[in-house]
Amino acid sequence: MKAFQTTAVLPPLYARWMDALLDDPIPPETRATCDDCAMCAPPGETPDPGIHYFSPRVKCCSYQPRLPNFLVGRILEDSDFSFREGRSTIERRIDGGVGVSPLGLDQSKRYSVLYKHGLAGFGRAESLRCPHFIEEGGGRCGIWRNRNSVCTTWFCKHERGGVGLEFWSRVRELLSNIETDLAVWCVVESDLGPEQMESLFPARRRPNETDGLTVADVDGVADPKLARGLWGRWLGREREYYIACAKRVTPLSWKEVERIAGPTVAARARLVQNSFEAMNLQDLPDR
């Protein structure tokens, strides 16, 4: 059995799946230094006005991650004392009820609008900062061991330039597809009621729906009526539901993931393999 060190690059669950897919360990991206952010101005030096620096209070955490139900459950189950603050941030999102559904934790609609139209503030605007950002120790991710596909595959700098960027883009597409498919699989396996299934997967847009924001969306608060329609018998037991999803997904082998997710994931996996081979074949010049 292959014993790679992919966990140095990927979260443990995804590392296990990628180890089964690839023939070699994924090399680390040493130029992207999260603990000592390469995009922040050097400490003690006057920032060069011609360089776009990140804020050390934000860094690249200018993103509210969409977390599939099984990752939410894994975070809630993580009993490691050092990640207790990260668990608390997840619990606050669940208790707040905004974007909380059997599929997982989504961005609030208000945040989505702000993010879409405020990308000039990426790396600097504190209003865009991830809710799981922990300020202590210079700023760190509170859910690092179970971060999602976007956060897992985003690097500010790449060891192998364009081919590295291409590879990680392919990995992000693959993991994102897996997250979507396995989250839906968990919903099906959880035996939600017909009303909840209809709310999650409506056949058509309802007559009173619009593309605008509701009052609750603008205020950034949960809609109790919507929550009842989404959760049914699981209402008030969201933590229990998410942990049950984690228990379903965590034991899955890569072959089982491919079988459950279907041909699109199989195709994206092939593209990851091709991109990985191209990256490993590249000979870097001395400079």
Side-chain angles (χ1 to χ4, degrees), residues 179-191:
E179 287 174 348
T180 298
D181 290 348
L182 291 186
V184 173
W185 177 70
C186 285
V187 165
V188 173
E189 293 294 304
S190 298
D191 191 28

Side-chain angles (χ1 to χ4, degrees), residues 125-141:
E126 293 191 29
S127 57
L128 292 178
R129 194 170 72 177
C130 174
H132 311 301
F133 183 90
I134 308 297
E135 293 197 42
E136 67 177 28
R140 61 184 178 86
C141 175

Side-chain angles (χ1 to χ4, degrees), residues 20-40:
L21 174 65
L22 304 174
D23 291 329
D24 290 295
I26 299 173
E29 294 287 356
T30 60
R31 296 176 184 268
T33 51
C34 294
D35 292 335
D36 181 20
C37 180
M39 296 297 293
C40 292

Side-chain angles (χ1 to χ4, degrees), residues 51-82:
I51 298 178
H52 182 96
Y53 289 113
F54 284 178
S55 164
R57 289 180 51 81
V58 180
K59 300 195 281 192
C60 66
C61 300
S62 309
Y63 175 70
Q64 185 181 88
R66 295 178 169 93
L67 297 170
N69 44 32
F70 60 89
L71 286 189
V72 178
R74 283 176 58 83
I75 296 166
L76 292 173
E77 277 196 303
D78 193 339
S79 59
D80 190 323
F81 183 76
S82 62

Side-chain angles (χ1 to χ4, degrees), residues 33-281:
T33 51
C34 294
D35 292 335
D36 181 20
C37 180
M39 296 297 293
C40 292
E45 297 184 15
T46 302
D48 184 336
I51 298 178
H52 182 96
Y53 289 113
F54 284 178
S55 164
R57 289 180 51 81
V58 180
K59 300 195 281 192
C60 66
C61 300
S62 309
Y63 175 70
Q64 185 181 88
R66 295 178 169 93
L67 297 170
N69 44 32
F70 60 89
L71 286 189
V72 178
R74 283 176 58 83
I75 296 166
L76 292 173
E77 277 196 303
D78 193 339
S79 59
D80 190 323
F81 183 76
S82 62
F83 283 89
R84 68 193 185 283
E85 289 188 62
R87 288 195 302 276
S88 296
T89 63
I90 287 291
E91 290 172 341
R92 285 196 291 272
R93 282 182 75 177
I94 294 172
D95 292 340
V98 178
V100 178
S101 85
L103 288 169
L105 303 185
D106 201 350
Q107 293 178 347
S108 70
K109 291 185 178 179
R110 183 172 69 173
Y111 183 91
S112 296
V113 170
L114 186 62
Y115 184 82
K116 179 180 179 181
H117 297 284
L119 283 179
F122 187 86
R124 297 188 291 183
E126 293 191 29
S127 57
L128 292 178
R129 194 170 72 177
C130 174
H132 311 301
F133 183 90
I134 308 297
E135 293 197 42
E136 67 177 28
R140 61 184 178 86
C141 175
I143 59 171
W144 182 256
R145 288 202 300 222
N146 291 288
R147 59 197 188 279
N148 77 344
S149 56
V150 173
C151 299
T152 291
T153 58
W154 194 91
F155 298 95
C156 59
K157 301 176 187 293
H158 297 86
E159 284 284 347
R160 289 161 177 77
V163 292
L165 175 61
E166 170 71 15
F167 169 72
W168 285 113
S169 297
R170 290 298 189 188
V171 175
R172 180 171 63 251
E173 292 168 354
L174 172 62
L175 293 179
S176 178
N177 209 145
I178 289 171
E179 287 174 348
T180 298
D181 290 348
L182 291 186
V184 173
W185 177 70
C186 285
V187 165
V188 173
E189 293 294 304
S190 298
D191 191 28
L192 290 174
E195 180 183 349
Q196 286 68 56
M197 293 295 286
E198 173 63 27
S199 296
L200 288 170
F201 310 107
R204 60 189 182 280
R205 185 182 293 273
R206 294 178 176 84
N208 62 344
E209 286 187 283
T210 68
D211 291 328
L213 303 181
T214 66
V215 174
D217 293 333
V218 174
D219 287 341
V221 298
D223 182 338
K225 181 180 178 181
L226 177 63
R228 286 193 298 272
L230 287 172
W231 286 99
R233 67 186 182 90
W234 287 100
L235 186 64
R237 300 164 55 211
E238 294 87 353
R239 288 170 174 76
E240 179 184 344
Y241 171 87
Y242 289 135
I243 290 173
C245 292
K247 291 185 182 300
R248 286 189 175 90
V249 170
T250 296
L252 294 178
S253 68
W254 172 246
K255 290 296 184 184
E256 290 172 317
V257 170
E258 281 192 306
R259 176 179 56 79
I260 293 168
T264 301
V265 159
R268 293 199 184 281
R270 183 71 59 83
L271 291 169
V272 166
Q273 289 174 318
N274 295 343
S275 182
F276 185 64
E277 182 179 354
M279 183 173 68
N280 283 341
L281 288 175

